Amino acid sequence: MTDNEDPKKRKENRGMSKELFGYPLSIFFIVVNEFCERFSYYGMRAVLVLYFKYFLRWDDDLATSVYHIFVALCYLTPILGAIVADSWLGKFKTIIYLSIVYAIGQITMSISAIHDITDTNRDGTPDDMTFHIVLSMVGLFLIALGTGGIKPCVAAFGGDQFGDHQEKQRRTFFSVFYLCINGGSLLSTIITPILRAQECGIYSQQKCYSLAFGVPAALMLVALVVFIVGSGMYYKAEPQGNIMLDVCKCIGFAIKNRFRHRGNDYPKRQHWMDWAEDKYTKLLIAQIKMVLRVLFLYIPLPMFWTLFDQKGSRWTLQATNMDGNFGLLVIQPDQMQTVNPILILTLVPIMDSLIYPLIKKCGLNFTSLKRMTVGMLMASIAFICAALVQIEIDKTLPTFPSAFQSQLKLLNMGSNPVTVTLPGVDPLVLPAAQASDEFFTFDTDIITVSIGSSGEVKTISLAKEKRQTLLITSNISDNWMLTNDLTSKPQEGNNAVRFINGMNTAVNVTLPAAYFGEIEPLNYSNYSQIRNGKSIFTIWSGSQSCNYSRDFGFGSSYTFFIPSTLVIGPNCQESITAAEDIKPNSVHMALQIPQYFFITAGEVMFSVTGLEFSYSQAPSNMKAVLQAGWLLTVAVGNFIVLIVAELAKIPKQWAEYVLFASLLVLVCFIFSIMAHFYTYIDPAAIEAQFTKKDNKDDEDDKSQLQKEQLEMVKKDSIKSHEDEDDMAKQSRM
């Protein structure tokens, strides 16, 4: 079926394609397409903020800001897609063209995450980060254009495939369609974090963001191919024009006309939209008035989305400092987002079939606007929960030195205890082959360290804003070494491990996932990143070796000391000492479940009810305008996150959560006042009044026309008689 067919013929063929189980065969291609596209979008989005933080090396605020700019664009472009589809290309061509753009964007994102492209020294870190940043930004822009552009088209295009005799099948299709959206979202947020956690690379093994983006790119290509394969079966409606353009033109004309006729010389109108009556019908103006009443209620709504969409940014970053070990399962930080679609699939039927009917039986008038108000409060509670969790996390985080401070830890490499005296610190007894339990903070660059009975005093120069460990040798008079320690938690929940060799011979330490290399006597290795779980290290001294095992959690840092008294053999495990430089994450990810529950309950009460209310209060031909307004509130909400993250610069994350919760409570109070004064209407009844009035006016016009025609006939009759009399007179004469 081509776009140039006779529209009348095409309308007759609507819903007449091949059927399977009573459904047009074409819709099965559309359902598969939607599932793959949603998997592609949500899978890419699930790992996006961690890609910014760990691959592009951005800080939390910048990663959050760019993430929300991308989400905002994804909710702005549907308006453009709807206008293009309805006014120019039609839904089918719009879906095809923008899906190609979408797929190119996903492929570009996957390529941008291949670290080996610019890793010339093969150390696992890209050397030209600008290349990766530019490529990823281009990819995200194309994805936003593609996913947003096809968003309003696919569901409507699927609905077009059904004839008037298939109303029941159409309703079932939309249920399956939205089930595919949630199914694709759920599966992708489970699978892509697992792919990201794998290690891959040509020259060096790193977290596999390229695979995490590559699989969604492949699914988008599958979605495109499936949609094209069904091309011959689709009913393709011609572009009929976009109602949003008509609404904008009418509003613009009313404003312009009102401005032209300002002053006391002109009669006042009941409503400012009435100034459009010179050009537009009263019915259209009445419909726009109804829409504007709903859009006015949309003004406070962006604040809800400001909080809601942070579950993919701030909450994911929060989870990176938590313990994801659930026993049989180890949950990645970005996998916690799966709680949201799971709870949606659970809460929607519970709310509809149990909670709302129960409230109604209690005699409470739980209107749509009241539900939305409660939904906002639920989101506020969710952020209070997030703030409480953040406070618990902050208690476990180490205190790193400021720009004017230095921190020092001590390690006794000898076989005898020593007593160490530091400035402003009580004498400290260090057992043999042991380190101090904590870091000591100093405000000066240079300190003196004295050793008890020997009276040995040394001057140590410290580095500002650094953590260091002072290695005290067994021979006190020898030179002491300073090591540079980590000044931040290890990334992506990994554990940073290094070895210090206190023996008089070189040793090698190996691990299947890491290689520490040869460690010279009285020297130390670089840090290596170790995943959570049990690791077995093999320590080699010449041809002899022994194993040392350790269970690791998430986000810790350890220094393992090999003492000079080590004997390679069965006692290797007991001989090696461990210094815990940074404690592992101890706050469990399960504590995030309450905040996900409240934000999802808020979403069900706010989002689902909000669209329901909007559609019930606007004319049927204006639903596209309301959808555009609704998507605009989501976009504005994400821009608010950007403003707070970049401008407010609140030092404590829990305080930022409290700020957002407080702002939403304030907005909720304003919205409740607006809702109190809102009067529910029946758009169909109002439209019927104007239609009836127009019909009456038409009848009056017809009767008036008939009267005028009758009078003309009478006049013609009288005139003809007068002419006949004149002719008779002339004949007699």
Side-chain angles (χ1 to χ4, degrees), residues 56-104:
L56 299 183
R57 311 288 178 177
W58 290 349
D59 61 30
D60 288 0
D61 287 339
L62 182 57
T64 299
S65 298
V66 177
Y67 173 87
H68 286 283
I69 289 173
F70 167 71
V71 175
L73 287 176
C74 289
Y75 284 96
L76 283 176
T77 49
I79 301 172
L80 178 64
I83 293 173
V84 169
D86 292 342
S87 305
W88 182 27
L89 293 177
K91 297 184 187 73
F92 175 75
K93 288 182 179 179
T94 301
I95 294 171
I96 291 290
Y97 295 157
L98 290 181
S99 292
I100 294 172
V101 172
Y102 193 167
I104 294 172

Side-chain angles (χ1 to χ4, degrees), residues 203-224:
Y203 306 117
S204 59
Q205 299 292 304
Q206 297 295 328
K207 295 295 182 183
C208 208
Y209 288 97
S210 56
L211 182 62
F213 291 141
V215 169
L219 264 291
M220 191 58 225
L221 290 173
V222 171
L224 178 60

Side-chain angles (χ1 to χ4, degrees), residues 340-352:
N340 177 249
I342 291 172
L343 286 174
I344 285 178
L345 295 174
T346 306
L347 288 178
V348 168
I350 291 176
M351 289 285 193
D352 289 339

Side-chain angles (χ1 to χ4, degrees), residues 39-48 184-198 208-209 211-217 219 332 334-335 337-338:
F39 185 105
S40 176
Y41 173 71
Y42 284 108
M44 178 277 304
R45 180 174 155 176
V47 301
L48 187 59
S185 168
L186 177 61
L187 286 177
S188 63
T189 48
I190 293 173
I191 294 172
T192 51
I194 296 174
L195 300 177
R196 176 196 61 79
Q198 307 305 309
C208 208
Y209 288 97
L211 182 62
F213 291 141
V215 169
L219 264 291
Q332 299 296 324
D334 35 1
Q335 281 183 314
Q337 299 175 58
T338 58

